[in-house]
Amino acid sequence: MSARKELFNSAKKELFNSAKKDRREEEESSEEWISSTKKEAYGAMEHELSKLLETSPPSKAEFWKKELDGFKHLFMRFLRTKTAVDWKKIDLLSEGIVTPYNELNHAADSEIQNLLNKLVVVKLNGGLGTSMGCKGPKSVISVRNDLTFLDLTMQQIQYLNRTYNVNVPLVLMNSFNTDDDTLKLLKKYANVRVEVHSFCQSRYPRINKESLMPVSKDLQNGDLDAWYPPGHGNFYEAFNNSGLLDKFINAGKKYIFLSNIDNLGATVDLNILNYIHTDPKHPEFVMEVTDKTRADVKGGTLVLYEGRLMLLEIAQVPKDYVDEFKSVNKFRIFNTNNIWADLNAIKRVVEKKELEMEVIVNPKHLDRGIDVIQLETAAGAAIKNFKGACGINVPRSRFLPVKKTSDLLLLMSNLYDIDNGILSLSSLRSFPTTPLIKLGSSFDKVNEFMKRFQGIPDLLELDHLTVSGDVWFGKDVVLKGTVIIIANHGDRIDIPPGTLLENKIVSGNLRILDH
C-alpha cells in the first residue's frame, strides 16, 4: 500500500508540475503575443502618422510634426501601461498630505501685492456647450444677469488688479473647437484692466477602436470630427510650447492658478497663495480637494500608490472595486481641478520629460457610424511628478461647476449673491449646503430650460427639487423643503405665478399632496 501511495503521490506531483509549467508557458506565450502585437500596433501607427504628415501643407509641417510626435508618445504610453490600477497597492493618505483650509495662515496685508504680482491665472476654456444644447465655447453661456463665464472671470481679475494695484494676467487654454470664437470674443474686453493671453492645446487624431489606427487620412480635408483635444493634462506641454511659460518666468512670475472656466467658485484665494509661497516644504504643486457628497462619487480622489501620491480616477478602477471607490466613507475627498503650481517646476518636468500622467481611454461613437477612442490625460494626474506636492481641503464653495442646467438653475437663483464677478452663498439661507436638484430631459438644453421659467424660482429654503416631464414655471414661484413635480406622458403642468410649494408632490392632474 505504501509503495502504491508513493507512486500515486509522485505521479500527482509530476502532473501538477507539468500543469504549472504549461500554465507558465501559456502565460509567457500570451505575454509574448501581447508584447509583439503591441510592437506591431506601434509600428503600424508610426507608419500611418508618417503618411498623414506627408499630407500637410509645407507651412504647417513643423506644427503637425510636433503634434503627431506628442500623440505618438501618448499612444506608446497607452500600449505600455494597464488602464486599471492594482487595487492591492492602493493606500489611504497619511497625515499631513492634505491640509484643512481653516489651518492656513492669512496673508499679511503688506505681502498681498507682492504675492499677486507673482501669480498667473489660467482657465481651461476648451469645452463646447454642446451637452447643454449651445453652439460655441461653453464660456459664453449666460450665467447671471446676462453675464457669461468669461465676463465673470474678467470681472474677478479686474477687481484684484484694481484693488491691490497689481498685474495678474489671465491665460485661456482653448481647444481647436473654441479658439477662433474665443479670439473674436476677447476684442470686446479691450478696456478691461486685465492682460489676456490665450493659446491652443494640442489636436490629436481619434483612433478607430477596431484597427487602432487614426480615423483621419489627410491633414487638409477639414474633417474636424477625426480630431480631439487630449484632455487638460495636455496643459503643461502645450503651455510650454506656446512660449508663454518662458515669457512669464522671464517677467518674474512664479505661480499659476489653474481651474475650469465653468467653475465659478475657483477664485484667486490669498490664503492658498500665501501657503505655497511661505510653507517650509515649498510645495511645487497643490491640489484643492473638497469633501465628497453622494453627488460626487465619480470624482477623482487622492491616494498613495506604491508609496507615491496619485490622483485616482474612476476610469482606472478595476470593475470589481468601483463600488468601493464610490464609498463616501473610505474615499472622503475628491479633486476640484483647482490647481496651484510653480512655473519653474513645470518647465523642469516638461523639459526633462518627467510627466507620467495616466492615460484615460475615452470611447466615442461618431455620427458616421465609427466607434473611436480618445487618449486623454488629466491635469491633476501630474501631482506625482512634482516635489512636495500636497492637497488642501477647501470649502465646498470653491467648487461650483456648471455641467448641467440643474447647476445653472442654482447659480441663477437667489441662493447666490454676486459681487465683482464673485458668487457667494446668500446669507439669507439657513444652511451652508446647496439643494439637490434633478431636472428631467425636457430641461437638458439651455434654450428649452430658459423658456420653461418665466422667472427663476426663490430657492432660499429649498432642500430637494425633482422635476420630470412637460413642466412650466410662472414668475415669483417659491420652492421650500422637498418639492417633486411630475407630469405624466402627454400631460402638461403649469405652476402658476406666485405659487408657494413647500414639501409638496405635484402630479399630472395638479393634485398637491403633503410630502
Side-chain angles (χ1 to χ4, degrees), residues 6 13 34 56 142 208 211 233 268 319 355 400 407:
E6 193 175 316
K13 187 175 180 183
I34 290 170
S56 167
S142 290
N208 186 305
S211 66
V268 172
K319 287 180 182 176
L355 284 170
L400 296 175
D407 302 321

Side-chain angles (χ1 to χ4, degrees), residues 411-479:
L411 298 183
M412 294 178 83
S413 76
N414 60 346
L415 271 172
Y416 287 94
D417 297 326
I418 186 165
D419 184 30
N420 293 303
I422 299 169
L423 274 73
S424 56
L425 197 63
S426 171
S427 58
L428 298 176
R429 181 164 171 84
S430 306
F431 315 101
T433 55
T434 53
L436 181 62
I437 294 182
K438 296 179 181 178
L439 300 179
S441 57
S442 301
F443 292 80
D444 280 352
K445 307 303 181 191
V446 171
N447 285 344
E448 272 298 306
F449 164 85
M450 295 303 293
K451 281 183 200 169
R452 291 176 179 274
F453 290 98
Q454 285 184 20
I456 301 297
D458 179 330
L459 306 183
L460 275 176
E461 295 180 47
L462 180 71
D463 297 321
H464 178 112
L465 173 66
T466 294
V467 182
S468 179
D470 191 9
V471 179
W472 299 73
F473 291 82
K475 288 183 179 179
D476 303 320
V477 171
V478 180
L479 305 175

Side-chain angles (χ1 to χ4, degrees), residues 4 22 55 90 97 128 131 191 229 232 369 427 437 458 474:
R4 284 180 63 191
D22 287 346
T55 68
I90 286 176
I97 292 177
L128 293 168
S131 63
N191 297 322
H232 40 63
S427 58
I437 294 182
D458 179 330

